[in-house]
Amino acid sequence: MDNILSFISSNQQIIYIVILMIFVGIEVIGRVPSVLHTPLMSGANAIHGVVIIGAIIVMGKAETGNYFALALGFLAVILGTLNVVGGFVVTDRMLEMFKKKPQPPKGA
Amino acid sequence: MDNILSFISSNQQIIYIVILMIFVGIEVIGRVPSVLHTPLMSGANAIHGVVIIGAIIVMGKAETGNYFALALGFLAVILGTLNVVGGFVVTDRMLEMFKKKPQPPKGA
Amino acid sequence: MELNLLTLCYLIASVTFILGLKMLSNPLSARKGNLIAAFGMAVAIFATIFLYEDNGEKLHNYAWIFGGLLIGTIAGTLSAKKVKMTAMPEMVSLFNGMGGACAALISAAEFYHIYQLHKNSPEIPFAELATVGHYITIVAGAIIGTISYTGSIIAWGKLNGRVKDYSFKGQHIVNMIVLVLVIIASVWAYQSTIGTIFLPFILIGLFAFIYGVLFVMPIGGADMPVVISLLNSFTGVAAACGGFLYDNKAMLTGGILVGAAGTLLTMLMCKAMNRSLTNVLIGSFGGGNKNDAATGATKAQGNYKEISLADAAMVMAYAKKVLIVPGYGLAVAQAQHICHELEKILEEKGVEVKYAIHPVAGRMPGHMNVLLAEADVSYEKLLEMEDANEEFKTTDVVLILGANDVVNPAAKNDAASPIYGMPILEVEQAKTVIVNKRSMKPGYAGIENDLFFQPKTSMLFGDAKKVLQNLCAEIKTV
Amino acid sequence: MELNLLTLCYLIASVTFILGLKMLSNPLSARKGNLIAAFGMAVAIFATIFLYEDNGEKLHNYAWIFGGLLIGTIAGTLSAKKVKMTAMPEMVSLFNGMGGACAALISAAEFYHIYQLHKNSPEIPFAELATVGHYITIVAGAIIGTISYTGSIIAWGKLNGRVKDYSFKGQHIVNMIVLVLVIIASVWAYQSTIGTIFLPFILIGLFAFIYGVLFVMPIGGADMPVVISLLNSFTGVAAACGGFLYDNKAMLTGGILVGAAGTLLTMLMCKAMNRSLTNVLIGSFGGGNKNDAATGATKAQGNYKEISLADAAMVMAYAKKVLIVPGYGLAVAQAQHICHELEKILEEKGVEVKYAIHPVAGRMPGHMNVLLAEADVSYEKLLEMEDANEEFKTTDVVLILGANDVVNPAAKNDAASPIYGMPILEVEQAKTVIVNKRSMKPGYAGIENDLFFQPKTSMLFGDAKKVLQNLCAEIKTV
Ligand SMILES: NC(=O)c1ccc[n+]([C@@H]2O[C@H](COP(=O)([O-])OP(=O)(O)OC[C@H]3O[C@@H](n4cnc5c(N)ncnc54)[C@H](OP(=O)(O)O)[C@@H]3O)[C@@H](O)[C@H]2O)c1
Ligand SMILES: NC(=O)c1ccc[n+]([C@@H]2O[C@H](COP(=O)([O-])OP(=O)(O)OC[C@H]3O[C@@H](n4cnc5c(N)ncnc54)[C@H](OP(=O)(O)O)[C@@H]3O)[C@@H](O)[C@H]2O)c1
């Protein structure tokens, strides 16, 4: 109990950020019409591609002679880029299809 | 420019919390029907009564002999309490009126 | 350990504030949401009292603290319980003002604290004692809190009729000047020494005080709910300043939350009336514009026809379904109880009676719901706008009691009208429309209403309460 | 200075992610939202490359970094551009798997890094080198990333038909056991010394790998979009672990954002089909339940009647308004182009043709919009469900092409039906209904459809593409 409390206390701000982010994530999505579910999923998929930052850091910190670390990092960068670039491009392509939203006179 | 950047950097987490909180505040309210505007305003009014915490701290830190500081703090505590208690009670009274939400068959 | 527990309590409070506000924006959960936020507040308050430490030292002056809490609680509860339902916005305004004043006092106390620590060396520049950031939080709390306080008090006075609308030419320029003076005084104070700082600091408060008054003074009394909502979000920001000052997350998050939500709410309120916030603040149609609109009204609309009490009673008694549209006039006349009476008499005669409630009928959102609830009208009888607009199609008689803008077809037909685009109650779909008001004068938006000149419509002039009393008597004899 | 700039860049990225996601959830701003998020991502990536410092040291291996970025960009763009519209969910699944793998590799690299630093003293317990918190972020990233990776690959395989549904009795228990093994291996690894840690760490990865496969394997192929959305939020959480690991706010906020939003989205998807998430995951009606439903179907429904091609052509050619209801069958038959053809031929004959689009028609949300857009059907012709349900009232002929559940009246009438409560296209309001499918077999939900037995309805059996081709030819001759 004590441990948990002091953990909470010393990571107070991060905990706030995480909790608030969860609220934001939930609220921001709340009103999405079902036609947009697939593009939204795809867009969210592209956003978690932010993991690429970690891959770049791993890659950029690997010592030049350490081939195993280099290979790991290199692979991670490629995979992360695939996620980011592919994700955004695919989402854009999908949304292209939705662009001319019809505005039928209500109830007509 | 440099100053601003280093300010941002050293207060990074607080800035995140503030920005996220703004998003939360805006999103959370987004869907409110207009009948609830008044109670919602009143409820929000009660919540900013959290300023009472500051009043309590001021009061509790004032040296025992310093009557000016004591008076300031005492007044602040009273006003803050009015805000909090009055706010929540008034909101509750208003909402009492809204409780039996009618569920008329749609379009009937 | 205790400090860690305090952090957890604040975290809980922050989360309850968010959840509470979220639940408050849904009719089904609103009341619970309010209680949840109140619970979180209680946690935060008692945690502060018992767990807070400053440099390892607990708070003292417990007697004073509990004394203040007790006085505030009793006074707050009593006034909140006693106030009439229709005077709610005034009450909210008053409480909001208290919060603003509290924030301002905290800033003043903090300032005084710094002064006390160093009063023996009056030549130290204040700038050496507080960083810019620290100073800004102190001064912003003082300024915003004070503005919120005076503004709220004026709004309160306007709503209960003690303060009259007042504006003069060039008011906006004067307001700007006062605001600039506030800033100048703030800069001056920061550059003063401990010995000379009192004057500029008092000036800051004074100018902010004046600004608050000037800011609210010219805005039409009917627009006060919007102003109160805006001042509400000001107080939120002032509370957040306190949060920065004490590095207190509960104050910070609570304040920012209300600041953001309050700002949006203010805009939503304006939108529900189809107006912009600037329009409300500069008062273009609560105030000045009225004359223009009145001239527009003179283009004669043809004739209206009146109906006698006896005829009105007859028509309603023999109708199958009557819909009542209450408006601001009903509220002013305090005619809700006699209106409920009418409803009961008609129902005894076998007439189906319901109410059509426009969301911005009256002078605050939900005004009519609160009003009719006070008179014990059953909730099942209140139709929301969309449902009512369906129901009109099968209605024999619509009785409009002191409503005007909310049934004005110009909102649908006339793109030049200031209320164009506002959703309205489409009463013309019913067979007959009877309108009760005292004269042919326009309502809140200051514009003419075509509805009154339509063949379906007949006017029943007089104060709503009196007319209803006579109507009741008349119907009983039918 | 540069580090401060980096912080600002990350802040900008976080905000663009939120804004982007918010805009993505509104049809009008969705595309712009995607671009905004992409912009923020670019800022974050390049800021990391050029500004990141670790103990005052910049990153190196630029050639490798840019090489990797280049390869990934080319491969990603090409495959994203080439993929067929209807194979989108597969593609998303694949990219999601890449992200999961990336997160897992980062954890592995971090782990290897710790190992490298201390490999000369193999007897040090790992627990002395990393706090519990640090270890949990490493291991959670590895586990969640791996599960997301293998799960996504299986989902991808199912969608393009390479992997078949597979389940056995007691599968859920086996799954639980594997999950427990993952946890045991994690604890074991933490208590090993540097010298002996490799085995348990590899076991963690292995068990997580197996779990990902087992988790997705039994779920019906048609439910894959929901599963992908769930795995999507897993990858978000894995990315957030990376954010904790490097104390990187962009990763942390981006990851949590997707984790939270993805979870809600998953639930919304289920809700749109009127199912619960557990129901999807345990697969009660994509899979096992089918038999029960089939027995329910044997209660004979009376007779259905068939219509000949010639008659169908006649009825449609002489109608004033025809509404086409596309469903999963149309997608499977790849009949969207010939369907557009039919529309044009009918319009030449003076028939008004529109499409009624159910939000969950097909196998992914928006499936039909995408499909018809691919065949160049004008967007103005697509009616959303609510509008379509109004339009049916004035429609002469409804042509249902390979749709079944989305027009099943049981969703409205039969409280015992598994799809009860799902909003449907109310085609019975039209004068005549023609249904094209290959047999009387049920659709996705595995239940009988009353509609087919109603007097208004006639069946036109056959593969959608072939039937449409013949229909076109026939109508031309009318
Ligand atoms: N609800 C809100 O939140 C809110 C806030 C601010 C502004 N507003 C605005 O207020 C308006 C509300 O519309 P509304 O139709 O309710 O009111 P309204 O348009 O202001 O009309 C009220 C009518 O009641 C009549 N009246 C006044 N006293 C009366 C009495 N004692 N007996 C009988 N009739 C009386 C007046 O005509 P006579 O003088 O001829 O009797 C007047 O035309 C809208 O324009 C809305 O935008 C609403
Ligand atoms: N959109 C989503 O996000 C999503 C995701 C997962 C699940 N779902 C579910 O999928 C269902 C969608 O409903 P739906 O009406 O579109 O599809 P459905 O209920 O699955 O019915 C499709 C019908 O098409 C017929 N068909 C199959 N191949 C055909 C061909 N080549 N030519 C002509 N007809 C063919 C089948 O009948 P025959 O075999 O007799 O030809 C079948 O009855 C809903 O239950 C929904 O909940 C949707």
Side-chain angles (χ1 to χ4, degrees):
Chain A
M1 185 62 197
D2 254 37
N3 273 337
I4 297 175
L5 277 184
S6 74
F7 175 83
I8 291 177
S9 179
S10 49
N11 295 287
Q12 195 194 147
Q13 314 217 3
I14 288 284
I15 293 176
Y16 266 99
I17 292 177
V18 169
I19 291 181
L20 293 182
M21 208 70 204
I22 292 175
F23 273 109
V24 171
I26 291 176
E27 290 299 323
V28 142
I29 290 274
R31 271 160 288 188
V32 63
S34 29
V35 230
L36 280 185
H37 284 173
T38 303
L40 186 62
M41 168 173 92
S42 172
N45 166 55
I47 289 175
H48 69 48
V50 71
V51 70
I52 174 96
I53 292 182
I56 293 175
I57 295 176
V58 164
M59 175 86 258
K61 284 204 299 194
E63 302 102 70
T64 332
N66 187 338
Y67 288 107
F68 184 65
L70 283 176
L72 269 187
F74 189 58
L75 195 59
V77 170
I78 293 181
L79 294 179
T81 316
L82 269 172
N83 183 355
V84 171
V85 177
F88 282 119
V89 174
V90 123
T91 312
D92 190 62
R93 265 193 71 195
M94 271 188 232
L95 289 171
E96 214 176 352
M97 307 261 133
F98 290 84
K99 71 184 165 214
K100 288 158 292 170
K101 183 98 211 320
Q103 293 291 56
K106 276 281 125 177
Chain B
M1 185 63 196
D2 253 37
N3 272 338
I4 298 175
L5 278 184
S6 74
F7 175 83
I8 291 176
S9 178
S10 49
N11 294 287
Q12 197 194 147
Q13 314 218 3
I14 288 284
I15 293 175
Y16 266 99
I17 293 177
V18 169
I19 291 180
L20 293 183
M21 207 71 203
I22 292 175
F23 273 108
V24 171
I26 290 177
E27 290 299 323
V28 142
I29 290 277
R31 272 160 283 188
V32 64
S34 28
V35 225
L36 280 185
H37 283 173
T38 303
L40 185 62
M41 167 173 94
S42 174
N45 167 56
I47 289 175
H48 69 50
V50 70
V51 71
I52 175 95
I53 292 183
I56 292 174
I57 295 177
V58 164
M59 177 85 259
K61 285 205 299 195
E63 303 101 71
T64 331
N66 187 338
Y67 288 107
F68 185 64
L70 282 176
L72 269 187
F74 189 58
L75 196 58
V77 171
I78 293 181
L79 293 180
T81 315
L82 269 172
N83 185 178
V84 171
V85 177
F88 282 118
V89 174
V90 122
T91 311
D92 190 63
R93 265 193 71 197
M94 272 188 232
L95 289 171
E96 214 175 354
M97 307 262 135
F98 289 83
K99 70 181 166 218
K100 287 160 291 170
K101 184 95 209 327
Q103 294 290 55
K106 274 284 128 179
Chain C
M1 165 66 194
E2 295 207 330
L3 271 187
N4 296 343
L5 190 58
L6 183 63
T7 310
L8 180 64
C9 289
Y10 285 158
L11 185 63
I12 292 172
S14 300
V15 171
T16 60
F17 294 163
I18 298 175
L19 286 179
L21 210 58
K22 185 171 165 54
M23 293 169 78
L24 268 167
S25 62
N26 180 325
L28 294 178
S29 58
R31 206 170 171 197
K32 218 163 140 196
N34 186 50
L35 291 181
I36 287 180
F39 165 77
M41 188 68 80
V43 170
I45 289 176
F46 288 106
T48 307
I49 296 179
F50 295 115
L51 303 176
Y52 186 87
E53 279 173 24
D54 188 34
N55 298 325
E57 212 183 311
K58 281 263 159 103
L59 292 177
H60 38 270
N61 301 325
Y62 277 122
W64 287 80
I65 294 178
F66 282 109
L69 283 176
L70 198 69
I71 296 176
T73 305
I74 293 175
T77 313
L78 283 187
S79 43
K81 287 257 178 200
K82 280 234 179 103
V83 63
K84 267 193 307 179
M85 265 300 152
T86 44
M88 283 297 177
E90 289 160 56
M91 204 70 233
V92 174
S93 184
L94 207 58
F95 290 141
N96 182 50
M98 303 296 111
C102 179
L105 287 180
I106 291 173
S107 284
E110 187 64 21
F111 171 80
Y112 185 69
H113 180 67
I114 297 179
Y115 169 80
Q116 279 273 316
L117 287 181
H118 303 276
K119 67 176 165 201
N120 298 327
S121 37
E123 70 297 335
I124 301 186
F126 190 78
E128 272 180 21
L129 301 174
T131 64
V132 187
H134 189 63
Y135 179 69
I136 288 181
T137 48
I138 296 182
V139 136
I143 295 174
I144 302 175
T146 308
I147 293 177
S148 183
Y149 169 67
T150 49
S152 298
I153 298 297
I154 299 291
W156 170 76
K158 284 208 176 192
L159 279 176
N160 64 20
R162 279 169 224 216
V163 179
K164 293 272 160 288
D165 295 1
Y166 173 76
S167 67
F168 52 86
K169 240 188 131 207
Q171 167 122 34
H172 297 296
I173 296 172
V174 174
N175 285 9
M176 284 315 286
I177 292 176
V178 177
L179 204 55
V180 171
L181 287 177
V182 172
I183 293 166
I184 292 178
S186 307
V187 176
W188 177 16
Y190 192 56
Q191 284 164 351
S192 305
T193 61
I194 281 289
T196 60
I197 199 172
F198 255 90
L199 178 64
F201 195 80
I202 285 172
L203 283 182
I204 296 173
L206 187 69
F207 289 136
F209 191 97
I210 295 175
Y211 183 76
V213 175
L214 288 178
F215 171 64
V216 179
M217 217 57 197
I219 302 173
D223 280 327
M224 280 310 121
V226 179
V227 173
I228 295 172
S229 174
L230 188 66
L231 293 173
N232 192 26
S233 74
F234 281 12
T235 312
V237 176
C241 288
F244 281 116
L245 206 57
Y246 296 119
D247 190 17
N248 183 305
K249 294 286 175 305
M251 282 170 83
L252 180 66
T253 52
I256 299 278
L257 181 69
V258 174
T263 308
L264 182 67
L265 182 60
T266 312
M267 271 150 31
L268 289 179
M269 279 185 171
C270 293
K271 206 171 132 201
M273 300 188 288
N274 204 43
R275 297 174 61 189
S276 74
L277 183 55
T278 21
N279 181 297
V280 169
L281 294 186
I282 301 193
S284 103
F285 82 68
N289 226 11
K290 219 160 220 162
N291 307 344
D292 309 5
T295 41
T298 48
K299 59 167 165 84
Q301 300 266 10
N303 291 320
Y304 57 86
K305 68 171 180 295
E306 283 192 53
I307 187 170
S308 71
L309 259 173
D311 285 351
M314 193 72 91
V315 173
M316 288 168 65
Y318 287 113
K320 275 188 61 188
K321 181 158 37 168
V322 171
L323 247 74
I324 298 178
V325 177
Y328 174 65
L330 184 84
V332 178
Q334 287 285 326
Q336 64 271 37
H337 296 281
I338 181 76
C339 182
H340 181 42
E341 192 66 31
L342 175 75
E343 170 209 327
K344 283 190 289 187
I345 295 175
L346 282 174
E347 296 226 305
E348 272 164 29
K349 300 241 173 227
V351 184
E352 186 185 348
V353 184
K354 286 183 184 162
Y355 295 83
I357 308 293
H358 189 284
V360 299
R363 288 296 177 266
M364 63 180 194
H367 204 160
M368 293 303 130
N369 300 58
V370 166
L371 202 76
L372 295 174
E374 202 197 348
D376 271 330
V377 173
S378 142
Y379 227 88
E380 278 73 49
K381 293 199 164 306
L382 309 188
L383 299 180
E384 282 170 35
M385 186 165 53
E386 291 77 26
D387 298 327
N389 281 342
E390 279 293 317
E391 194 95 2
F392 284 132
K393 291 174 191 158
T394 58
T395 299
D396 303 305
V397 182
V398 171
L399 177 63
I400 298 178
L401 296 171
N404 190 339
D405 297 342
V406 297
V407 293
N408 192 337
K412 283 189 77 179
N413 312 328
D414 179 5
S417 167
I419 61 168
Y420 183 68
M422 176 168 100
I424 54 161
L425 289 167
E426 295 160 10
V427 293
E428 321 98 283
Q429 302 189 326
K431 292 215 190 75
T432 325
V433 177
I434 300 178
V435 179
N436 163 242
K437 59 202 294 288
R438 295 163 312 174
S439 65
M440 287 305 285
K441 284 209 217 108
Y444 171 75
I447 53 170
E448 204 51 61
N449 192 338
D450 251 3
L451 175 75
F452 303 157
F453 303 98
Q454 283 177 9
K456 263 185 197 176
T457 312
S458 10
M459 307 297 295
L460 184 60
F461 290 116
D463 175 79
K465 192 167 190 170
K466 280 221 198 79
V467 167
L468 281 175
Q469 278 162 345
N470 297 340
L471 210 52
C472 285
E474 199 74 45
I475 293 178
K476 276 191 195 137
T477 68
V478 172
Chain D
M1 165 69 194
E2 295 207 329
L3 270 187
N4 295 342
L5 190 59
L6 182 64
T7 309
L8 180 64
C9 289
Y10 284 157
L11 185 62
I12 292 172
S14 301
V15 172
T16 60
F17 294 162
I18 299 175
L19 286 178
L21 209 60
K22 185 172 164 55
M23 292 168 79
L24 267 167
S25 62
N26 180 324
L28 295 177
S29 57
R31 208 172 168 198
K32 217 162 140 198
N34 186 49
L35 292 180
I36 287 180
F39 165 78
M41 188 66 80
V43 169
I45 290 176
F46 288 106
T48 307
I49 296 179
F50 295 116
L51 302 176
Y52 186 87
E53 280 173 24
D54 188 36
N55 297 325
E57 212 183 313
K58 282 260 158 97
L59 293 177
H60 38 271
N61 301 324
Y62 277 121
W64 288 80
I65 293 179
F66 281 109
L69 283 176
L70 198 70
I71 297 176
T73 306
I74 294 175
T77 314
L78 283 187
S79 44
K81 287 257 178 201
K82 281 234 180 104
V83 64
K84 268 192 308 178
M85 265 302 151
T86 43
M88 283 297 179
E90 288 159 59
M91 205 69 234
V92 174
S93 182
L94 207 58
F95 290 142
N96 183 49
M98 303 295 111
C102 180
L105 286 181
I106 291 174
S107 284
E110 187 64 21
F111 171 79
Y112 184 68
H113 180 68
I114 298 180
Y115 169 78
Q116 278 274 313
L117 287 181
H118 303 276
K119 66 177 163 195
N120 297 327
S121 35
E123 70 296 335
I124 302 185
F126 191 79
E128 271 179 23
L129 302 174
T131 64
V132 186
H134 190 63
Y135 178 70
I136 287 181
T137 50
I138 296 181
V139 135
I143 295 174
I144 302 175
T146 307
I147 293 177
S148 182
Y149 169 67
T150 48
S152 298
I153 299 297
I154 299 291
W156 169 76
K158 284 208 175 192
L159 279 175
N160 65 22
R162 279 170 225 218
V163 179
K164 294 273 160 288
D165 296 2
Y166 174 76
S167 66
F168 52 87
K169 237 189 135 206
Q171 167 123 36
H172 297 298
I173 295 171
V174 174
N175 286 8
M176 284 316 286
I177 293 175
V178 176
L179 204 56
V180 170
L181 286 177
V182 172
I183 293 166
I184 292 178
S186 308
V187 175
W188 177 16
Y190 192 58
Q191 283 164 352
S192 306
T193 60
I194 280 290
T196 59
I197 199 170
F198 255 90
L199 177 63
F201 195 79
I202 285 172
L203 284 183
I204 296 174
L206 187 70
F207 289 136
F209 191 97
I210 296 174
Y211 182 77
V213 175
L214 289 179
F215 172 62
V216 178
M217 216 57 197
I219 302 173
D223 279 328
M224 280 309 122
V226 179
V227 173
I228 296 172
S229 175
L230 188 66
L231 293 173
N232 192 25
S233 74
F234 281 12
T235 312
V237 176
C241 289
F244 281 117
L245 206 57
Y246 297 119
D247 190 18
N248 183 306
K249 295 286 177 307
M251 283 169 81
L252 179 65
T253 53
I256 300 277
L257 181 68
V258 174
T263 308
L264 182 65
L265 182 60
T266 312
M267 270 147 36
L268 289 179
M269 279 185 172
C270 294
K271 207 171 132 199
M273 300 188 290
N274 205 42
R275 296 175 60 191
S276 74
L277 184 55
T278 20
N279 181 296
V280 169
L281 294 186
I282 300 190
S284 101
F285 81 70
N289 226 12
K290 219 160 222 163
N291 308 344
D292 308 6
T295 41
T298 48
K299 59 168 164 85
Q301 299 267 8
N303 291 320
Y304 57 88
K305 67 172 178 298
E306 283 192 55
I307 188 171
S308 71
L309 259 174
D311 286 349
M314 193 72 91
V315 173
M316 287 167 67
Y318 289 112
K320 277 187 60 188
K321 183 162 27 171
V322 172
L323 247 74
I324 299 177
V325 177
Y328 175 65
L330 184 83
V332 177
Q334 287 287 323
Q336 64 271 37
H337 297 280
I338 183 75
C339 180
H340 182 41
E341 194 65 32
L342 175 75
E343 169 208 327
K344 284 190 287 188
I345 296 176
L346 282 174
E347 296 226 306
E348 272 163 28
K349 301 242 172 226
V351 184
E352 186 185 350
V353 184
K354 286 184 182 160
Y355 295 83
I357 309 292
H358 190 282
V360 299
R363 286 298 177 266
M364 62 179 195
H367 203 160
M368 293 303 131
N369 300 60
V370 165
L371 200 76
L372 295 174
E374 202 196 350
D376 270 332
V377 173
S378 142
Y379 226 88
E380 278 73 49
K381 294 200 164 303
L382 309 190
L383 298 179
E384 282 170 34
M385 185 166 53
E386 289 78 25
D387 299 327
N389 281 341
E390 279 294 316
E391 195 94 1
F392 285 130
K393 291 174 191 156
T394 59
T395 299
D396 303 304
V397 182
V398 171
L399 177 64
I400 298 177
L401 296 171
N404 190 339
D405 297 342
V406 298
V407 293
N408 191 338
K412 283 188 76 177
N413 311 330
D414 178 6
S417 167
I419 61 168
Y420 184 68
M422 176 168 99
I424 53 160
L425 289 167
E426 294 159 11
V427 293
E428 322 97 282
Q429 302 189 325
K431 291 213 194 75
T432 326
V433 178
I434 300 178
V435 179
N436 164 242
K437 58 203 294 289
R438 295 164 310 173
S439 65
M440 287 306 284
K441 282 207 219 105
Y444 172 76
I447 52 170
E448 204 51 61
N449 192 338
D450 251 2
L451 175 75
F452 304 156
F453 304 97
Q454 283 176 11
K456 266 186 198 178
T457 311
S458 10
M459 307 298 296
L460 183 60
F461 289 116
D463 175 78
K465 194 168 189 171
K466 278 219 200 82
V467 167
L468 281 173
Q469 279 162 344
N470 298 340
L471 210 52
C472 285
E474 200 73 45
I475 292 178
K476 276 189 195 141
T477 69
V478 173

